[in-house]
Amino acid sequence: MHNQFVFEPAPQPVLEISNSDKLFPVHRIYCVGRNYADHAIEMGHDPNREPPFFFQKNPDSLLKSGQDFPYPSATNDVHFEMELVVAMGKGGVNIAVEAALDHVFGYAVGLDMTRRDLQGEAKKLGRPWEVGKAFEASAPCSQIVPASAIGHPAKGAIWLTVNGIERQRGDLDQLIWNIPETIAYLSTLFSLQAGDLIFTGTPAGVGAIHRGDEMVGGVDGIAEIHVKVV
Ligand code: MN
């Protein structure tokens, strides 16, 4: 019988749900690259509607709002990217755009923290992005607000301040690939599951943070996130 672990399994990554004592068990974290035109332009790319592309972070890289973000190793250029996060309540493959929102449990706001120097080097050398994107604590995320409470937002300001100074501002209606389209496209590449999170991309204004900085961001009508860099 194979029924015992050789060591204690890692705990199930979870997010809290607003106004609930239940937890959301996180399965995978998908992220969309360059999904706002003004951010694509600031990164030196074509803002036209190319097919979306994706990368992943590890579920155990989640950091709760209010927790400190430990400045990571091997970098001198860590950037914030403020993003709307979609929390899937149902999975599927080849999900139709029209049916996509029925698969959403709720929404959160998150930070796609990025070692920009290592990501830049990887891009230049045609290497994978993990060292730039998937390090420990690279995915700070707020509580999830259920769609049953707020519906499915298609617009609303997305913003971030660092030490009280506004650094990013956009609106969900500027997404190049909107939420249903993103879910539909992603489900042609992966078998989506309940518990998956999708970081949907960041508006312009990304920049470096330093130890001691306090980041506060949000999407109006959904949630806010507070993270201090240590
Ligand atoms: Mn991002």
Side-chain angles (χ1 to χ4, degrees):
M1 287 283 283
H2 289 74
N3 58 4
Q4 287 195 330
F5 294 111
V6 289
F7 48 80
E8 204 52 38
Q12 166 67 52
V14 295
L15 286 175
E16 291 172 4
I17 298 167
S18 66
N19 298 315
S20 169
D21 54 8
K22 295 209 172 127
L23 295 169
F24 183 90
V26 177
H27 176 240
R28 291 182 184 162
I29 303 177
Y30 298 99
C31 304
V32 188
R34 286 174 223 139
N35 205 16
Y36 289 81
D38 55 356
H39 174 62
I41 291 166
E42 79 176 344
M43 299 304 285
H45 295 279
D46 185 347
N48 289 316
R49 209 165 188 255
E50 297 168 344
F53 70 93
F54 302 93
F55 58 91
Q56 284 177 281
K57 290 178 184 260
N58 298 303
D60 66 358
S61 299
L62 286 166
L63 186 79
K64 278 187 209 168
S65 177
Q67 288 184 321
D68 291 341
F69 171 78
Y71 199 91
S73 63
T75 177
N76 293 304
D77 194 24
V78 177
H79 279 203
F80 49 79
E81 295 189 1
M82 184 66 212
E83 310 203 357
L84 170 71
V85 178
V86 178
M88 301 297 290
K90 277 197 286 183
V93 294
N94 299 323
I95 298 168
V97 172
E98 306 73 44
L101 293 180
D102 301 339
H103 295 69
V104 174
F105 174 83
Y107 298 89
V109 301
L111 287 159
D112 167 13
M113 299 305 293
T114 302
R115 286 164 163 156
R116 192 71 77 203
D117 43 3
L118 299 191
Q119 185 203 21
E121 201 175 290
K123 282 182 183 174
K124 207 161 56 191
L125 298 171
R127 289 181 182 165
W129 283 13
E130 278 85 352
V131 294
K133 288 290 196 180
F135 53 90
E136 280 65 39
S138 62
C141 195
S142 74
Q143 289 188 337
I144 294 172
V145 185
S148 58
I150 58 162
H152 297 280
K155 57 182 186 165
I158 177 170
W159 53 272
L160 177 81
T161 67
V162 179
N163 303 329
I165 297 164
E166 186 168 286
R167 301 293 299 275
Q168 290 192 274
R169 178 165 288 273
D171 195 288
L172 300 184
D173 67 9
Q174 297 162 348
L175 282 166
I176 295 172
W177 292 86
N178 67 26
I179 294 162
E181 290 168 339
T182 298
I183 292 167
Y185 201 99
L186 188 59
S187 76
T188 68
L189 297 167
F190 297 95
S191 178
L192 297 183
Q193 286 197 30
D196 288 341
L197 300 178
I198 307 171
F199 281 59
T200 54
T202 197
V206 299
I209 42 91
H210 305 93
R211 286 184 182 83
D213 284 348
E214 302 211 23
M215 300 181 282
V216 179
V219 176
D220 290 354
I222 299 181
E224 283 191 10
I225 187 168
H226 298 247
V227 176
K228 184 176 181 186
V229 184
V230 298

